[in-house]
Every structure is written in C-alpha cells, then in structure tokens.
Amino acid sequence: MRILAFELGSRSVKAVELESRFRKFEVLDFHEVSLPLKVSDPIEIYREAISEIFAKLPSHPDKVVVSLPAPNISMRFLSIPVKQRKKVEQMYRFELEDSLPFKLDETVIEHEIYTLKDSSLVFTAIAPNRFIANYLEYLSKIGLDPDWLTFEGMGLINLFIASRRTEETQVPGPVLLLDLGHNRTTLSIVNESRIEAFRSFNWGGSNIIKSLAITTGLPMEDAEAEMQKVDLSQSGQERIPTEIMDAVNQAISLLLTEINHSLIAYRNTTKLSVTSIQISGGVSSMGGLSSFISKQLGGLPCSVFNPTEYFPIKEELKKAIDPPKFAEAWGRGNVFSRKSPLLFNFRRGNYGKQTSLNEISNIKIGRAHV
C-alpha cells in the first residue's frame, strides 16, 4: 500500500511518499514545491503544487493523509479520577461538555486515554462538523480527497514517540517539541509516551522575514534571503550587521515568550519541568537556532530533531533533503504503520470514505498507556 502524506504549508507544499508492506514500512521519497511569498489565488497555487507532486509519482497513492487547520480544532486535557478505561470512556464526554462552546453531537471527537498511578489523563481533539465539511470541500477544489484527516502537530508527535521506543533512545523527563513553520508553530510536551500539553500559535519564519524587511528596508524576498544567511551562533562577529541581528533577535523573542508561557503553565499544572527541547520544521535549519534557544532559556538542552537518525532511509534521500523540514508530514504518514502512537482521524463516521481502513482509529481503544 502506497501512502502520500501532505503538509500544506504557507511557504511550500511538502509530501512524504511511503509504502506499507507485510512487516515493513518504508519511506520512498520526499517532495516539496515552493510557494510565492505573496499568494493572490491560494486555491490555484495549491492545486498547481499538488498536481506537480502527483505528476512525479510512479503510481497513484492508495492512501492520502492531510490535517485540519489548527484553528478548526479544540484540544483539551482532562484529568479523570479513575483508572478503569471503561469508566473513563463513559466519563470524559461529560467533562468536555462543560468546557466547549458548541454541542458535542455536532462534532467529531478523537481521544487518547493515558492510565496514571491513581487516575487517567484524557487527551481530546474536537472538530465541529461544519469545519470538517468545509475543509473537505476546500481540499476537493485543490485536488485532494484524503483518506485520513488529522491535526497539525500529530505528525511530529508520532515520529518523536516512535523514535524513543528503545532503551538507547529514551529521554528522561518531559520533552518540549516545536514544529516551526512559516506562519505557525505547534508546541507539544511529551512525557514518556504521553502527550501532556499541546497548543498552536501564530509565529514562524515570516515573523523573522517581516522584521528584517522593516529594519533594513529590503523587499520581502531579499529579507528572506538575508534570513537564510544568518547564523545565530556567530552573532558577535562583525561580518553580520548589527541591524540584521537585532531584527532577528526581536522576532525570535516573540517565540521565546510563547515558549516561556507554555513552560510555566505546564509546570503549574503538573509540577514537572521540561528537561529538553527538540525542534523541527523549516525554520529549525536556521544556523545556530537550537543553541540560541537553549541559551535564552537558561541552558535548557535544545537540538534539532532529525528523523533519519532513528528511521532508516536510502542514503541518496538523506543527502537530497533537509529531514527536519519533513518531520510533520513524515509522521502523519506513519498512521498506517503497525505501531503508530496516535491515530486521530476526523475523516470518519459521516465524513469517512467508507473503505476498510476508514475506521482504523478505533484500534486505539483498548490500548494500555502507563
């Protein structure tokens, strides 16, 4: 079975081509089509980019994976004071009803139950039916009819948890994951195999580009080229103009503020502190960014998450791509692997494609999480 997992970014369309066979799950290829900084007709631009990717494939994929936009989904973490899964399944919806501004029977709800020492933690994602219907209609206009519709950020979470399943790759304590895109960043905190915090906010490479354009007076395209030259580990060297570094620092300070707010909220809720940070996405390739974030956050270890260190792919593919840029799309495609940590799919029930696999998300019922 061939799978094509998309990430419809605001600066490029990325896709990872995978194949699932008996006891084997393999990455076949990576695809990316860049988009202009200014888009006059997004439907036409996306349709052309998607057509270009499909034209490169040796055959049409059996399954397509996409995500709902972050603003279309509400996330909740519910603490249920019981351990029995059957009781938790019965109770969590009542807890949800009091915290949502819409009726539950007009939504698709996906959830994951984590059994703790004396209670359970339920991670829920809720998408109103009208948002799902509208987005499926939009996807049809740009040439996509996905079999799987997940949430932005699930790909990186899936790939990270799957990479930590051996003793050699275990990381002690909670880990902060950041997927840094062009316009948006997804932030999640994973403790062992549990998701204990998640949010998405407006920050990305475009913030840096705009800051550079305003400071230097350069056109946006030239400002983007300047951003790609910056190495934050060389900020003290005279060859990098002070105004450039000041503009970059000002933009990144907004990201650091968001991270700090999330770390404080997590610590207040769980009484735990994050022990390290992993970054991915297009902005993660910016020179010295991980060390800069680490320094600004009091020495908290920060590194770029490179999936190829944990999942084998062909050497020619490693050399041809920037792996962290594709982590989100790659992880989305992993929903069709045998041991995918998360199987959230909003394309089910009335919105399913009525195939033998459209209810695969029900597999997670009965899983045990410790």
Side-chain angles (χ1 to χ4, degrees), residues 6 65-69 135 139 148-153 328 332:
F6 279 96
V65 185
V66 189
S67 78
L68 272 172
Y135 196 60
L139 290 175
W148 202 286
L149 194 60
T150 184
F151 68 87
E152 292 179 0
E328 175 63 21
R332 290 176 188 175

Side-chain angles (χ1 to χ4, degrees), residues 22-37:
F22 181 67
R23 293 185 178 179
K24 190 173 183 180
F25 196 76
E26 181 182 8
V27 175
L28 300 178
D29 209 348
F30 298 88
H31 306 277
E32 182 177 21
V33 177
S34 296
L35 304 178
L37 277 172

Side-chain angles (χ1 to χ4, degrees), residues 190 210 286:
V190 175
K210 291 173 184 176
M286 186 174 187

Side-chain angles (χ1 to χ4, degrees), residues 77-139:
F77 289 87
L78 307 173
S79 179
I80 308 296
V82 296
K83 292 179 63 176
Q84 295 84 356
R85 294 183 65 86
K86 287 185 178 180
K87 289 186 177 180
V88 175
E89 291 283 357
Q90 296 169 354
M91 295 173 63
Y92 86 91
R93 291 179 68 94
F94 294 104
E95 296 286 336
L96 273 180
E97 285 181 331
D98 295 333
S99 64
L100 295 175
F102 38 75
K103 297 179 180 179
L104 288 187
D105 57 4
E106 297 176 355
T107 68
V108 173
I109 302 172
E110 284 286 62
H111 70 286
E112 188 79 356
I113 298 174
Y114 302 106
T115 303
L116 306 179
K117 185 178 180 181
D118 299 310
S119 61
S120 298
L121 176 69
V122 185
F123 171 48
T124 63
I126 310 100
N129 292 345
R130 66 182 185 278
F131 290 165
I132 299 173
N134 290 341
Y135 196 60
L136 287 174
E137 182 180 352
Y138 170 77
L139 290 175

Side-chain angles (χ1 to χ4, degrees), residues 323-338:
K325 182 190 294 188
F326 289 88
E328 175 63 21
W330 187 342
R332 290 176 188 175
N334 270 26
V335 294
F336 288 100
S337 68
R338 294 177 64 246

